[in-house]
């Protein structure tokens, strides 16, 4: 199993995502440079958070036209799992892989804080470890996370069960106060028609270890690994690290305490 | 040759920036302002003789190409409206 983390100029959560997959979940992960139209046989693609191309013109607009994105679009259209986090979500919308767009936050402020998310679409490659209505805590950090789509699109997303996550209060109830960026219908994450592409504003990679305050992010990242595990033949699963940090085995898909070099 | 592209948030799409500016204008006493939409303006320098494959681009084709530039990159038509003017500069 190989996971490609795409790096654009201005990506800043690429290492966090790489670290979460490689050192916490113990699967092979590598960086794919935006100028290379080659995903090197990856089984899943992560578009990380950051400020690709300085957020010039519109967030994600220029990145969505970079060479690697042609490959990512092809990969996604063939059913390959793609997860866009924060800026990655904006890029997926601009690339036309997900409906809608992300506008400036209602408050016009950059918001950096913990939020509660309710899973409204379990059983996808990204939400296999979650149950319907389960509330998890994650982190947001963005200036343009205000999800917008025309009412007919929202109705369709709702009807097809493609709203993966909503901002809620800690008990899972919709509450405008907890919808900090002002997203339509409190939407925090949406899926494409094939459910193999997920875009979400909150950052699962930032809450993937106890030392970071929460491991709720592993519900999303771990679900993706579970999904790939079930689709990968046994002999291809074994990950042999090439250097440095020790990988984690995941007995039965359960999470383990992370290990750090020198500990 | 120059083109000026103006991009504004679509009607019905929340424009928090426009709303903040409207509030500010009201606080200055300009109560006649009823709506503000903040967009952006992009100026392009065009050389009609430097089209693709070294071929010239005539005026009507240029309009089509600008339309295409707006739809493919300069504006997101889901949330923004665009308009452009081509100014030919006579020496």
């Amino acid at each position: 199993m190989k996971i490609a983390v795409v790096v654009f100029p201005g990506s800043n959560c690429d290492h966090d995502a790489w670290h979460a997959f490689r050192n916490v979940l113990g699967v092979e992960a590598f960086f794919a440079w935006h100028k290379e139209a080659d995903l090197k046989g990856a089984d899943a693609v992560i578009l990380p958070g950051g400020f690709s191309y300085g957020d010039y013109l519109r967030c994600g607009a220029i990145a969505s036209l970079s060479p690697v994105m042609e490959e990512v679009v092809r990969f996604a259209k063939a059913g390959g799992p793609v997860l866009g986090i924060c800026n990655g979500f904006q890029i997926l919308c601009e690339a036309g892989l997900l409906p809608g767009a992300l506008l400036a936050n209602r408050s016009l402020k950059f918001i950096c804080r913990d939020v509660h998310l309710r899973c409204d679409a379990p059983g996808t490659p990204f939400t296999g470890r979650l149950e319907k209505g389960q509330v998890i805590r994650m982190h947001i950090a963005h200036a343009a996370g205000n999800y917008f789509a025309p009412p007919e699109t929202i109705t369709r997303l709702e009807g097809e069960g493609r709203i993966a996550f909503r901002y809620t209060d800690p008990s899972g109830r919709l509450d405008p106060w907890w919808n900090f960026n002002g997203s339509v219908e409190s939407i925090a994450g949406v899926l494409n028609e094939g459910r193999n592409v997920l875009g979400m504003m909150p950052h699962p990679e930032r809450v993937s270890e106890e030392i970071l305050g929460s491991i709720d992010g592993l519900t999303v990242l771990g679900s993706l690994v579970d999904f790939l595990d079930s689709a990968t033949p046994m002999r291809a699963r074994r990950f042999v690290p090439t250097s440095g940090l020790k990988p984690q085995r995941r007995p039965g898909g359960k999470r383990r305490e992370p290990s750090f070099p020198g500990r | 040759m120059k083109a000026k592209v103006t991009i504004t948030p679509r009607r019905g799409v929340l424009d928090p920036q426009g709303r903040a500016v409207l509030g500010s204008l009201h606080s200055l006493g300009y109560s006649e302002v009823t709506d503000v939409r903040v967009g952006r303006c992009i100026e392009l320098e065009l050389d009609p003789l430097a089209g693709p494959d070294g071929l010239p681009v005539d005026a009507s084709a240029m309009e089509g190409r600008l339309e295409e530039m707006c739809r493919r990159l300069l504006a997101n038509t889901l949330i923004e409206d665009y308009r452009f003017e081509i100014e030919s500069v006579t020496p």
Side-chain angles (χ1 to χ4, degrees):
Chain A
M1 176 193 314
K2 284 196 331 193
I3 293 178
V5 179
V6 178
V7 184
F8 298 98
S11 294
N12 63 10
C13 298
D14 42 352
H15 267 82
D16 308 50
W18 177 87
H19 170 78
F21 279 108
R22 189 181 191 275
N23 300 320
V24 182
L25 288 159
V27 296
E28 193 178 343
F30 65 96
F31 295 116
W33 184 235
H34 71 114
K35 278 201 169 154
E36 287 165 29
D38 183 7
L39 293 172
K40 302 186 178 84
D43 300 297
V45 176
I46 311 298
L47 301 182
F51 301 87
S52 58
Y53 294 90
D55 275 352
Y56 295 157
L57 198 60
R58 291 181 306 278
C59 304
I62 299 178
S64 74
L65 298 171
S66 60
V68 75
M69 281 308 292
E70 274 174 44
E71 265 322 291
V72 172
V73 170
R74 203 167 302 140
F75 179 78
K77 295 228 158 122
V82 178
L83 169 62
I85 301 164
C86 195
N87 189 221
F89 185 9
Q90 296 162 340
I91 296 169
L92 287 172
C93 288
E94 283 285 343
L97 284 173
L98 290 174
L102 293 138
L103 309 173
N105 294 342
R106 187 177 43 189
S107 62
L108 285 175
K109 288 190 174 128
F110 186 95
I111 304 173
C112 181
R113 60 160 299 144
D114 277 8
V115 293
H116 292 92
L117 299 177
R118 188 181 73 198
C119 173
D120 283 356
T124 72
F126 314 95
T127 54
R129 290 191 185 183
L130 289 164
E131 279 165 29
K132 191 164 175 70
Q134 194 175 333
V135 178
I136 49 177
R137 209 183 82 205
M138 256 182 225
H139 189 81
I140 55 167
H142 58 243
N146 181 348
Y147 185 76
F148 169 85
E152 58 276 16
T153 307
I154 300 291
T155 312
R156 189 165 164 219
L157 289 175
E158 182 103 59
E160 294 175 356
R162 285 163 54 192
I163 299 172
F165 297 107
R166 281 189 161 96
Y167 303 107
T168 61
D169 71 3
S171 68
R173 270 195 307 260
L174 292 174
D175 179 341
W177 194 86
W178 287 93
N179 181 18
F180 297 102
N181 53 29
S183 293
V184 173
E185 293 284 320
S186 300
I187 292 172
V190 294
L191 293 150
N192 71 338
E193 221 167 347
R195 284 167 176 71
N196 61 309
V197 178
L198 169 67
M200 62 191 296
M201 287 315 292
H203 286 271
E205 79 284 9
R206 290 195 191 176
V207 279
S208 57
E209 289 170 279
E210 292 290 359
I211 197 170
L212 301 174
S214 165
I215 50 169
D216 282 5
L218 293 183
T219 54
V220 175
L221 306 182
S223 295
L224 178 58
V225 172
D226 293 349
F227 172 80
L228 295 175
D229 244 347
S230 62
T232 315
M234 276 307 268
R235 66 191 148 70
R237 282 190 206 175
R238 213 182 152 82
F239 164 55
V240 183
T242 45
S243 67
L245 304 163
K246 247 166 99 187
Q248 296 291 301
R249 288 265 163 275
R250 291 169 305 104
K254 278 197 208 105
R255 30 171 207 258
R256 275 259 208 108
E257 284 303 303
S259 77
F260 295 90
R263 265 202 202 171
Chain B
M1 200 184 229
K2 261 188 183 178
K4 204 165 148 185
V5 183
T6 310
I7 293 156
T8 47
R10 279 190 105 158
R11 304 253 149 222
V13 174
L14 179 79
D15 175 18
Q17 233 188 122
R19 228 165 43 184
V21 174
L22 176 69
S24 218
L25 285 171
H26 280 175
S27 72
L28 287 171
Y30 300 105
S31 54
E32 68 271 37
V33 185
T34 56
D35 191 27
V36 177
R37 309 195 75 72
V38 178
R40 71 177 89 82
C41 178
I42 301 173
E43 288 181 345
L44 308 174
E45 291 285 344
L46 303 166
D47 179 357
L49 299 178
D53 305 321
L55 296 171
V57 183
D58 65 36
S60 67
M62 191 61 96
E63 207 150 297
R65 288 175 70 77
L66 268 162
E67 186 81 33
E68 212 178 281
M69 291 180 215
C70 289
R71 270 187 285 109
R72 293 179 68 188
L73 177 64
L74 303 180
N76 180 344
T77 52
L78 184 71
I79 50 170
E80 294 167 325
D81 287 324
Y82 62 85
R83 57 178 189 274
F84 57 82
E85 293 158 38
I86 302 176
E87 308 163 7
S88 347
V89 185
T90 38

